[in-house]
Amino acid sequence: MIDPRVKLFAVFAFTTMALILKNPLSLILLLLCSFLVAVVFKADIIMMFKNMYHFIAIIIGMSFVQVLFVKSGRVLWEFSFITITEDALLRVFFMVIRILVILITSSMMTTENNSRIIASFSKMKIPYIISFMVMITLRFIPLYKESFSDALISIQLRGLDLKNIGLIKKIKIFSYLVLPVVYEAINKAEDLTIAMQARGFQAMKTRTNYIELTFSWYDYCLFACIALISISLLVFV
């Protein structure tokens, strides 16, 4: 089994490279390399494509903004107030590739066990309180989504059709749902705090881990390959 520290290094390296690289060819190669590494890490490919589907509307909206407001560069097409320039399309290309790289690299951690990730943080000398806060945050995000979805369903059961109302009224309805969802989240956080204190959280200065991580030769090879890919894209492309 691949060490979580190798996956964390891959996520950090590829996301950083996606933000740094300015060459279209290097970004395309980075996208291909990140996908291959995700396959090697046995990432959830189906879930990865589902996450990409959810981001299509955001990508289209941001692309439209880039095309509408970026006027620099050679004009490729012009109609009325809409002008498509070479720089606008290039920015759209960079944005789409970077979003795809970030989504692919984030999928590398979806199949990883939370206990192994916390153990990897401890191996990297990261304070346990920080790693615990990160894991709790990631675990609470689906709960917030579920609470908001339940609130929407309860409104629809009362006879309100959200598909047939105006945008302004829909925004008001969503604003009314924020308070109960936040209140429920605060209650869950308080219950979690009481449970942690009852179990003696941070009673000792040092903690031991049930899972002991060690680098294998396979982990070292993957670590070296990821580092080599990153350096090659920076230097040679």
Side-chain angles (χ1 to χ4, degrees), residues 2-234:
I2 300 173
D3 195 290
R5 288 170 289 180
V6 180
K7 296 183 179 181
L8 290 171
F9 175 69
V11 172
F12 174 78
F14 288 154
T15 52
T16 303
M17 295 289 294
L19 298 175
I20 291 176
L21 295 176
K22 304 294 184 182
N23 189 339
L25 177 59
S26 60
L27 281 173
I28 293 174
L29 291 175
L30 177 64
L31 178 63
L32 294 175
C33 291
S34 60
F35 182 78
L36 291 176
V37 172
V39 172
V40 172
F41 286 171
K42 297 180 180 179
D44 193 342
I45 305 298
I46 297 177
M47 183 60 66
M48 179 182 68
F49 283 111
K50 286 183 179 180
N51 291 335
M52 290 181 182
Y53 173 78
H54 293 312
F55 278 85
I56 289 178
I58 297 176
I59 292 174
I60 293 175
M62 294 177 66
S63 301
F64 181 76
V65 170
Q66 295 284 353
V67 171
L68 193 62
F69 291 102
V70 176
K71 304 297 182 182
S72 61
R74 183 165 60 92
V75 177
L76 301 177
W77 187 76
E78 187 174 2
F79 177 78
S80 183
F81 66 95
I82 299 177
T83 303
I84 299 178
T85 64
E86 195 175 72
D87 288 351
L89 292 181
L90 194 60
R91 290 192 183 188
V92 170
F93 172 79
F94 285 158
M95 178 194 67
V96 172
I97 295 298
R98 284 165 179 161
I99 291 176
L100 292 178
V101 170
I102 292 172
L103 290 176
I104 291 173
T105 52
S106 62
S107 68
M108 298 177 187
M109 303 301 300
T110 55
T111 56
E112 190 57 67
N113 183 274
N114 293 339
S115 300
R116 283 169 50 84
I117 296 176
I118 293 178
S120 67
F121 285 160
S122 300
K123 284 287 187 178
M124 293 185 291
K125 306 301 180 183
I126 297 176
Y128 181 77
I129 184 64
I130 295 177
S131 59
F132 186 82
M133 288 170 58
V134 171
M135 298 310 303
I136 289 299
T137 302
L138 295 176
R139 183 169 291 183
F140 262 56
I141 290 175
L143 295 178
Y144 297 151
K145 182 179 178 181
E146 183 179 351
S147 298
F148 197 81
S149 178
D150 291 342
L152 285 177
I153 293 173
S154 65
I155 287 179
Q156 292 174 346
L157 290 175
R158 289 178 172 87
L160 182 62
D161 189 2
L162 295 175
K163 295 181 180 179
N164 297 325
I165 62 176
L167 179 61
I168 303 300
K169 190 173 181 181
K170 188 178 293 186
I171 292 174
K172 286 184 178 180
I173 293 173
F174 286 160
S175 65
Y176 296 152
L177 296 178
V178 170
L179 183 59
V181 171
V182 171
Y183 179 76
E184 184 179 357
I186 293 174
N187 284 337
K188 289 180 179 179
E190 289 179 349
D191 294 339
L192 179 62
T193 302
I194 294 172
M196 290 167 56
Q197 291 175 348
R199 288 169 171 79
F201 184 74
Q202 282 194 312
M204 300 293 181
K205 292 184 179 180
T206 58
R207 287 181 58 92
T208 58
N209 291 307
Y210 174 76
I211 299 174
E212 187 67 27
L213 299 175
T214 55
F215 260 39
S216 65
W217 66 269
Y218 186 60
D219 295 322
Y220 281 112
C221 291
L222 289 175
F223 195 95
C225 289
I226 294 168
L228 185 61
I229 291 171
S230 302
I231 295 173
S232 300
L233 290 174
L234 275 176

